[in-house]
Amino acid sequence: MEIRPILSTLRRHKTAAALIVIEVALTCAIICNALFMISDRITEVRETSGLVEDELVRIQITSVGNDPEEDARTRSDLAALRALPGVKAATVTNQVPFVNSSWDYGVRLDADQQQVTMNAAMYMAEEQFLETLGLKLVAGRAFTPDEYKDAASLMAGLSEGSLPSAIVTRKMAERLWPGEDPIGKGFYSGDEQPTRVVGVIEHLVRPSQLGGPSAREYSVILPLRPHYNIGGNYVIRTDPDRRQEVLEAARKVLQANGADRIILEDQTKTFEELRSDYYQGPRSMAWLLGIVCVALLLITALGIIGLASFWVQQRTKQIGIRRALGATRGQVLRYFQTENFLLASIGIALGMLLAFAINQVLMGKYELARLPLYYLPAGAVLLWVLGQLAVYAPARRAASIPPATATRSV
């Protein structure tokens, strides 16, 4: 089809053509960034934690005042929890994933280093920590019994670097020693002897978003036995269909082992509930952006339909003359679709530039990642298809106008 007549017609309708181009450009820019942000939020919500989440429950507990027997009571708590029917394993730790605060651990590769290489989440672990959480060891070994120390006896003057061994995540090992075997490698936190890596686990997310998405799996496990007043997290592993039953039984056991303690009910949940609460914000943002995308596409489609219908009404006689001179319905239909395709293409080209500009602002203000290039053709295809669908009905009406009707007043 000849493009020149179409361009000539558009020059005579500059305002209407400009409105469609601007509308498509804005929609393209917003849609590309919104789709990227939705994908980013979905990836965040679906991230692998490394835990057997469907088997875990968490009870958070704290004492009303000072408890001089907190170490002994913790051992008693664990023995009682492990004896409950349906319990596979139980542990106590200073922190758990899917909360908004964390114990962080500055890691340096050299004792004389002034700035830390990274900040990692520090998990204190007793003997059943790995088994309870279901963490998968992919290199090295677990801690040996003689490597564990009581956290309470070390907390006052503890320098984490004095601990001889640690287990780290694969992501943390790759960040510290890219392309090398991390087993036996040392790192520092204080000025003492290095802590040696004895094992590597596949995944373990940190409790909070500190450090951004790239640091989500910078986690280190230390062989420190915490008591219940260090974080107050009892984690129990059981069969998925027995979680509520075990949770209720565990509450009763812990309450019976000391009335001077408080169970924090709002933090006592299954790990699936903890995860759901933790990612409520990203899920809501994804839904909101999805609604914005749908609304923008609907508005753009209605705008194209409205302007296309207006043009059909304005060019009724022109269409009739073309039909009288031998133009088929298909040719008239293709005329309007080609016209819309040209306008959409101009709008998409401008929208891509605007999409990058918006992304740069978001990167600077909200630390959003760079917009991947493949979102641009995805947005372009979406708008091309939308434009063709939106213009189809007005174009079909135009193609159906009888030449005698259209040229009656000519």
Side-chain angles (χ1 to χ4, degrees):
M1 175 176 287
E2 285 287 339
I3 303 298
R4 188 175 298 175
I6 297 176
L7 296 177
S8 177
T9 302
L10 291 177
R11 280 196 294 269
R12 292 196 299 270
H13 298 82
K14 293 179 182 178
T15 302
L19 286 174
I20 290 183
V21 168
I22 293 171
E23 189 173 27
V24 171
L26 289 173
T27 301
C28 179
I30 296 172
I31 288 291
C32 288
N33 280 283
L35 289 176
F36 172 49
M37 293 173 69
I38 290 171
S39 176
D40 192 52
R41 296 300 181 272
I42 291 174
T43 300
E44 181 182 350
V45 169
R46 292 180 177 176
E47 74 173 344
T48 301
S49 67
L51 315 178
V52 285
E53 296 175 31
D54 63 339
E55 299 182 23
L56 299 178
V57 298
R58 176 238 200 163
I59 298 178
Q60 191 170 41
I61 191 170
T62 186
S63 61
V64 175
N66 292 329
D67 184 357
E69 302 297 325
E70 53 199 2
D71 279 308
R73 192 176 290 185
T74 300
R75 291 192 294 271
S76 175
D77 288 340
L78 288 173
L81 292 173
R82 290 164 182 167
L84 288 174
V87 172
K88 297 179 181 179
T91 191
V92 61
T93 184
N94 62 312
Q95 61 183 352
V96 295
F98 311 131
V99 295
N100 288 315
S101 62
S102 64
W103 296 53
D104 295 311
Y105 182 94
V107 174
R108 295 178 288 115
L109 292 177
D110 191 285
D112 299 325
Q113 196 173 318
Q114 295 300 312
Q115 298 292 327
V116 297
T117 304
M118 69 162 58
N119 279 301
M122 179 188 70
Y123 288 90
M124 295 182 182
E126 56 88 53
E127 286 79 354
Q128 287 196 17
F129 181 86
L130 296 180
E131 179 187 358
T132 302
L133 272 60
L135 301 175
K136 183 180 179 182
L137 203 64
V138 294
R141 60 172 176 82
F143 297 122
T144 57
D146 60 300
E147 289 176 315
Y148 288 98
K149 298 181 180 180
D150 288 332
S153 62
L154 298 173
M155 285 297 289
L158 175 63
S159 178
E160 297 92 336
S162 64
L163 292 167
S165 59
I167 295 173
V168 301
T169 58
R170 190 200 299 269
K171 289 286 181 67
M172 180 173 170
E174 290 173 350
R175 169 70 174 78
L176 292 175
W177 304 285
E180 300 180 36
D181 182 2
I183 302 302
K185 292 285 197 301
F187 59 82
Y188 299 82
S189 183
D191 297 324
E192 297 77 17
Q193 295 300 312
T195 299
R196 299 289 175 184
V197 175
V198 299
V200 177
I201 55 173
E202 189 168 18
H203 300 287
L204 176 58
V205 293
R206 62 192 307 153
S208 69
Q209 295 287 344
L210 182 67
S214 62
R216 283 293 291 148
E217 290 195 42
Y218 293 167
S219 300
V220 58
I221 303 171
L222 299 178
L224 284 171
R225 301 186 189 96
H227 54 68
Y228 75 89
N229 266 331
I230 301 178
N233 297 286
Y234 283 115
V235 181
I236 306 168
R237 184 175 181 180
T238 184
D239 292 326
D241 57 351
R242 302 192 67 177
R243 285 175 295 178
Q244 291 301 328
E245 169 195 340
V246 167
L247 193 56
E248 291 303 320
R251 280 193 184 97
K252 294 176 182 179
V253 162
L254 294 175
Q255 288 169 341
N257 202 28
D260 56 340
R261 300 186 299 179
I262 299 172
I263 294 177
L264 304 179
E265 295 294 341
D266 61 328
Q267 297 299 319
T268 297
K269 304 174 181 179
T270 67
F271 266 66
E272 287 185 341
E273 291 172 331
L274 287 174
R275 184 186 185 109
S276 178
D277 292 346
Y278 184 71
Y279 290 117
Q280 180 61 45
R283 278 201 311 275
S284 299
M285 178 62 72
W287 277 107
L288 177 61
L289 289 172
I291 293 170
V292 169
C293 288
V294 172
L296 275 175
L297 291 173
L298 181 60
I299 291 170
T300 302
L302 291 175
I304 293 172
I305 291 171
L307 286 173
S309 299
F310 173 74
W311 281 352
V312 168
Q313 184 179 1
Q314 291 294 307
R315 288 184 273 178
T316 300
K317 293 179 182 179
Q318 177 189 342
I319 295 166
I321 292 171
R322 285 177 58 96
R323 291 294 310 281
L325 293 175
T328 65
R329 291 186 178 185
Q331 288 174 328
V332 175
L333 184 65
R334 286 194 297 274
Y335 177 92
F336 281 97
Q337 289 180 317
T338 303
E339 185 178 73
N340 177 267
F341 182 82
L342 291 174
L343 291 174
S345 297
I346 296 171
I348 287 168
L350 295 175
M352 287 181 177
L353 297 176
L354 186 57
F356 271 112
I358 292 174
N359 180 247
Q360 291 299 313
V361 173
L362 293 175
M363 287 173 63
K365 297 287 186 180
Y366 303 104
E367 299 184 356
L368 189 70
R370 185 178 299 278
L371 178 68
L373 290 177
Y374 56 80
Y375 280 96
L376 299 180
V381 170
L382 182 62
L383 286 168
W384 273 322
V385 171
L386 177 71
Q388 293 301 300
L389 292 175
V391 81
Y392 180 76
R396 189 177 178 185
R397 286 198 304 272
S400 301
I401 297 174
T405 303
T407 60
R408 185 172 298 162
S409 60
V410 177

